[in-house]
Every structure is written in structure tokens, then in C-alpha cells.
Amino acid sequence: MPRTHATLPRLYVELDLSAGTQLTLGKEQSLYLAAVLRKSVGDEVVLFNGRDGAWRCALTSDSKKSVGLELIEQIAGQTPVSDLWYGFAPLKSERLDYVIQKAVEMGVGTIQPVITQRTQVNRLKHERLVANAIEAAEQCEVLSVPVVAPEMTLERLIDGWPAMRTLIVADEGAASSSPVETLSSLRGKPVGVLIGPEGGFSDQERDRLLALPYVVPISLGPRILRADTAAVAALAVIQAIIGDWR
Ligand code: SAM
């Protein structure tokens, strides 16, 4: 992927972006640019909003409370939003942050926390998950921020699952074989991936999942991976075999 202006700071904004637009950043982003990065008038940054691609901008004012920016040129067109759906059982604090950030870096389009019988965390701070996703998007130069859905139970997920989408379930009980063949048969089809909690799916949950017509179990090798490791491993094999790592 061509890296455009890799040295410039990248910030996600909600506003529409087009040539000549003048805008003023909020307090948090202004403080970050003016005080933390010590940017001043004339310095440049990159803005993206998930709709209008990436824009090179120049500071027109550098107050710590409200930095002004003028858009100069579009440096990257908007890339399509990923269709890869990612479900996971929330983990505690920094490991949860890690899982959100890695999902963004691995190119998912939807991040869905799923509450299972052995999930360690039931109440999530949704705004923290969204902030993590935005920060990861700014750092890994993606041009859209995945949707972070509110948590739902595994039962509700199954009840509302769209039958045309295959659900790839990381199953440590699956026969330890390479997922290449299984995944290759899903090329071009809408897919989601589901990772269980630290304690794994309960026997009842696993039986329920494996009985569903749209579920495809995959092994991630002969070792038991921690849930956050399994998340990255599963997303890597999916992206490498049928995703956007071409
Ligand atoms: N049930 C085991 C336990 O309690 O230690 C393993 C749970 S594992 C820590 C958490 C999740 O990571 C599992 O539910 C599964 O989704 C995934 N996982 C871990 N190792 C895996 C493997 N070798 N193959 C497929 N999925 C794996």
C-alpha cells in the first residue's frame, strides 16, 4: 500500500473534508497537536473521516484550545469499508484495548463484543472501545474506523445472524488441520469470525455453534492460544487466505 506522507500526524474527524475547507479542531485534538506535538502555524497534518479519503492540511492557528486547519489536497482516495465482521468475548482492561486495536490493524469492518457464559467482563465502556478503534486507525493509516457495536449475548447473536454470512468459529477442539482449504472455499463470500473467552466456549455453546448451518469451525494449530492471541491469529489467516492481503 503506497504510504502517503507517513511522517505527518494523522487525525480522525467527523467533519466533511473537501478542498479549501477551513475547520477548527476540538480541545483534545488541539491540545495534542499544539502542546504534545508542538505543531505551529504552517505545519502540516493528515485528516481522514472514513468517507472522503485522506487530506493534507496546514495549521492556520495553533492555540492549545482550538487549532485551525485549512485543507490543501487529497492525498489518498477513500478505500472501501471492510466487510469482515469480528466477534469476540471481551477481556479485561488493557487486553481488551489490545484486541480492539489489533482488530482495526487487521482490517475488520465491524467489531462485535459477544457475551458468552464464561466471558470475564459484562459491562463495557463503549466510548472507550470506540476511542481505541479511532486511535488504532490513526496509527495504522486505515481510512475508515470500524463500527464498534454494543455488546450482545451469544444467544442474541445467533438469533439475529444473517444466514448468507458464514461464521468462522475459532475452535480449539476442531481437528488440528490447516484452515487453508476450509477458508479458501469461502473466498468472495461474506464472513465473520468468532473467538471465545479465556475459559473457552461452554460445551453447550460449542454444541449449539457447531450445529448451525452457517458455522465453519477452524483450528488455529495444535496449541491452546490465549484469546487475544487467537484473535490476531484467526484474523491473519482469514486476511491472508481470503481477505485483503493480496
Ligand atoms: N478452553 C480452553 C481453556 O479454557 O483454556 C481454551 C480457550 S482459549 C484460551 C480462548 C479462545 O481462543 C477459544 O475459545 C478459541 O476461540 C480460541 N482458540 C485458542 N486456541 C485455539 C486453537 N488452537 N484453535 C482454534 N481456536 C483457538
Side-chain angles (χ1 to χ4, degrees):
M1 177 183 103
R3 300 205 52 198
T4 49
H5 303 72
T7 56
L8 294 181
R10 297 166 48 77
L11 290 178
Y12 172 78
V13 293
E14 305 275 353
L15 304 159
D16 289 338
L17 302 174
S18 57
T21 302
Q22 307 249 350
L23 57 88
T24 304
L25 293 178
K27 230 166 120 194
E28 205 176 308
Q29 289 182 320
S30 296
L31 195 66
Y32 173 64
L33 281 185
V36 175
L37 298 186
R38 297 184 179 284
K39 294 296 179 189
S40 50
V41 172
D43 285 342
E44 295 186 348
V45 298
V46 173
L47 292 188
F48 68 102
N49 62 6
R51 303 183 301 279
D52 302 322
W55 285 78
R56 184 166 64 89
C57 311
L59 271 73
T60 53
S61 66
D62 52 25
S63 132
K64 292 187 181 65
K65 288 206 176 71
S66 61
V67 163
L69 292 172
E70 178 173 19
L71 275 63
I72 303 167
E73 64 166 337
Q74 189 186 45
I75 53 173
Q78 183 57 44
T79 48
V81 177
S82 163
D83 181 50
L84 179 54
W85 182 97
Y86 165 67
F88 70 104
L91 303 170
K92 283 196 177 116
S93 59
E94 65 279 353
R95 289 179 66 208
L96 178 58
D97 298 346
Y98 172 91
V99 159
I100 298 291
Q101 288 164 11
K102 300 315 148 197
V104 175
E105 291 171 43
M106 301 299 274
V108 306
T110 302
I111 297 176
Q112 173 64 65
V114 179
I115 309 301
T116 66
Q117 289 171 13
R118 297 178 186 160
T119 295
Q120 299 168 347
V121 174
N122 288 321
R123 292 290 320 134
L124 297 173
K125 291 196 179 81
H126 186 256
E127 60 284 357
R128 176 175 169 156
L129 305 190
V130 173
N132 256 301
I134 289 172
E135 191 183 331
E138 290 172 339
Q139 285 167 7
C140 68
E141 296 190 14
V142 294
L143 287 179
S144 47
V145 179
V147 170
V148 181
E151 68 267 26
M152 72 163 68
T153 62
L154 180 60
E155 261 322 298
R156 244 199 74 218
L157 178 76
I158 292 172
D159 288 347
W161 188 262
M164 43 44 101
R165 185 178 288 269
T166 300
L167 181 57
I168 301 163
V169 174
D171 176 18
E172 69 275 22
S176 186
S177 60
S178 159
V180 173
E181 212 175 300
T182 308
L183 292 177
S184 302
S185 66
L186 300 172
R187 189 180 308 287
K189 294 183 183 146
V191 297
V193 57
L194 180 63
I195 309 290
E198 271 308 75
F201 293 112
S202 69
D203 291 344
Q204 183 201 7
E205 288 171 332
R206 185 168 176 266
D207 294 346
R208 178 106 164 73
L209 282 165
L210 298 182
L212 294 166
Y214 53 74
V215 164
V216 168
I218 61 166
S219 165
L220 295 172
R223 286 165 294 279
I224 295 294
L225 309 177
R226 294 197 70 179
D228 38 0
T229 312
V232 180
L235 289 170
V237 289
I238 290 168
Q239 290 290 44
I241 298 166
I242 55 173
D244 62 6
W245 285 10
R246 48 189 166 281

